[in-house]
Each structure stands twice: as C-alpha cells, then as structure tokens.
Amino acid sequence: MPDPRLTPARPDLAARHLEGKVAAARFVEGEAFEVKDPIAPLRRAPAGDAELMTQALKGERVTIYDRNGEGWAWGQLQDDSYVGWLPDSALARPAGAPTHKVAALSTLAFPGPSIKLPPAYSLPMGARMPVARDEGPFAVTGDGLFLPRRHLEALDAKADDFVAIAERFVGTPYLWGGKSSLGIDCSGLLQVALAAAGITSLRDSDMQQASLGHALDPAETNQLDRGDLLFWKGHVAIVRNAETIVHANAHHMATVIENAREAIARIKAAGAELVAIKRL
C-alpha cells in the first residue's frame, strides 16, 4: 500500500500521474507553486491546530492538487515528496529561480541597505531566494530585500561536514515536525544537516533508516564513526565521535550533545531498543 505521507492520493482525489495505480473518485493535474513565507507548516489536516508533519522553507517548490476554499492547499513538496496541507497564504506562483540559500542558522532580511532598519522578516537555514546583485555587505534579492552576504551561499554549495551543521543547532528547542533553529525534531535535524552537505534525504526517521547508507551490526556500538546514524523506532541520532551523539529529542526538549552509551541505555530504559546503525 502506498505511503500516504509520500503519495498525493485521497479517496476523493489524487494526482493525475497516479491514475491506474490508486483508487480515487477523480484525478487532477497539479499546479506549481513556491513557498513565499520564511517557514510554512505542512499539517496533517486543513486546520491550524492539526498535527505539524513537517515544515517547508522559503523558495521550496510544491505541487498543489486541491484547495478547500478556507485558506488551505493540499499538495506535495518537491524536495522530499511529503504530502499534506499548507496555508494558501504561504504560497505564490514561482518567481525567479533561486540562486542562493541561507547558510547561517538564521538571517534577517532588511528593506534597505542598513542593519538599522527594522527587518522585514527572518529566514532559516536552507531558505532559498534569487539574488539579483551584491551591494556592499548585502545581497539584494529579486524582490528588493537586503540580506547579509556572509549569511548566504550559492545554491550548489556543499558543506564538508554535515555533522558540524547539526552541531550548530545545539540548544534549539525540540519541535515535532520542526526544521529550523526556532524548533526542530530529530529527523528534521538530520534532513537539514544533510541538505547543507548536498545530500537529499526523506523526512521521517523510518524513511531515513530505510533509505540512507548501509547497515552495521547494532551491537557494534564500540565501532562508531563520525557521521554514523543511530536509529530507534521513531528516533534518529547523529554520531559525533566514538563517545558522543548529537540529536534533537523530547527528553531534553532540545538539540543536545550526549554520551552515546548513556543515551542508548536511557532510551532502552524508556522502552526502546536501538534497531539500526547506518553508515553513509
């Protein structure tokens, strides 16, 4: 049965390309949009209090298949294929192709070439935008906003060490479905860190366990290398070295660096065994 998180299909409606593969009352062509807000929630249902499944960042493309007329749009994210409901107000028709992405944990967009101006908004790591030109220490976006040039990098830039990216989030509050320094969860942390290194990843920890790297013996916790991934049911942690991991977790309600063996023992005591070690 197709994974509903990755399949734009409901009993009443599905994507046209799924015709003949899934059952639905009707099939529709999708429309291309991009996320215009700094961060847009993708929810399980069309309501502000529905479960946050993930977040889409500015510049991300999304295919929309349905609008409910009450401010919500149902579609599929281009980057990781996640399906859900987004606020209609967070979407716009695609403008210029992005050229740069935010490389800092977050940055500010100013309405003019001065840091003394009230910022228009902040942008999270991974947000994308077209840069029209440089002006002094600023990059000027296609819509006329000024961002600190040192906070941006070319869209195809790749970090050398995704673990170092994850380490920068230490102290970030834990947020189920979160993908920014305002709040992040375990699989969101891994996805954002890998993306900074040019590695595409699916969103949830079970998807990541199934699709990333090759498996090591879960008993071989004395052979951990930097960048290895530890998986429990519903959780993932990133190995920093033979002794420590970095992970966003609900126990600490934050992204923390923790002794690997102590974490494994603590999580086991709470009822979850380590189920996999993956090496990229």
Side-chain angles (χ1 to χ4, degrees):
M1 185 173 182
D3 189 333
R5 297 171 295 177
L6 302 175
T7 310
R10 310 183 319 225
D12 64 318
L13 179 148
R16 177 76 65 190
H17 67 84
L18 294 174
E19 194 165 4
K21 301 176 183 177
V22 300
R26 63 190 179 99
F27 295 85
V28 299
E29 298 290 345
E31 296 182 84
F33 286 83
E34 72 177 14
V35 176
K36 68 176 184 178
D37 286 1
I39 303 173
L42 186 145
R43 299 192 181 277
R44 184 181 294 276
D49 59 355
E51 180 185 348
L52 179 65
M53 306 291 285
T54 187
Q55 293 175 323
L57 308 183
K58 182 176 176 62
E60 187 165 354
R61 300 302 168 95
V62 55
T63 303
I64 295 300
Y65 295 100
D66 186 29
R67 285 189 165 92
N68 71 351
E70 299 178 355
W72 293 91
W74 183 75
Q76 184 170 37
L77 301 181
Q78 184 179 95
D79 286 2
D80 62 14
S81 300
Y82 220 106
V83 174
W85 291 91
L86 292 152
D88 223 341
S89 60
L91 304 175
R93 293 292 183 179
T99 59
H100 289 72
K101 61 185 177 181
V102 176
L105 276 182
S106 63
T107 192
L108 297 172
F110 297 94
S114 172
I115 61 172
K116 296 181 180 179
L117 294 171
Y121 48 71
S122 63
L123 288 169
M125 177 183 285
R128 288 165 278 184
M129 71 289 301
V131 170
R133 68 183 190 278
D134 288 342
E135 188 171 317
F138 294 99
V140 185
T141 67
D143 53 359
L145 292 173
F146 291 71
L147 280 69
R149 189 64 182 82
R150 65 176 62 241
H151 287 175
L152 305 182
E153 61 186 10
L155 204 60
D156 60 358
K158 297 178 183 179
D160 293 331
D161 179 6
F162 82 89
V163 183
I165 300 296
E167 291 168 339
R168 291 167 62 185
F169 284 86
V170 168
T172 296
Y174 180 84
L175 173 66
W176 180 273
K179 280 182 58 174
S180 82
S181 61
L182 295 175
I184 202 162
D185 65 12
C186 64
S187 53
L189 178 66
L190 176 58
Q191 188 184 49
V192 168
L194 288 174
I199 302 170
T200 300
S201 166
L202 293 174
R203 177 58 176 89
D204 294 342
S205 62
D206 63 322
M207 302 174 183
Q208 294 167 346
Q209 179 184 333
S211 61
L212 291 173
H214 64 274
L216 305 180
D217 185 343
E220 295 299 320
T221 55
N222 60 337
Q223 302 292 329
L224 298 178
D225 289 344
R226 186 173 178 86
D228 287 347
L229 306 175
L230 306 185
F231 288 95
W232 296 260
K233 184 178 181 181
H235 187 60
V236 60
I238 303 166
V239 173
R240 296 178 66 244
N241 52 42
E243 287 80 36
T244 61
I245 57 174
V246 57
H247 60 151
N249 67 92
H251 176 78
H252 295 95
M253 286 304 296
T255 299
V256 299
I257 291 171
E258 190 173 5
N259 178 275
R261 284 157 191 78
E262 291 176 2
I264 291 168
R266 173 177 60 76
I267 297 170
K268 182 177 180 179
E273 294 274 359
L274 183 69
V275 295
I277 303 174
K278 300 298 286 288
R279 179 163 292 167
L280 301 181

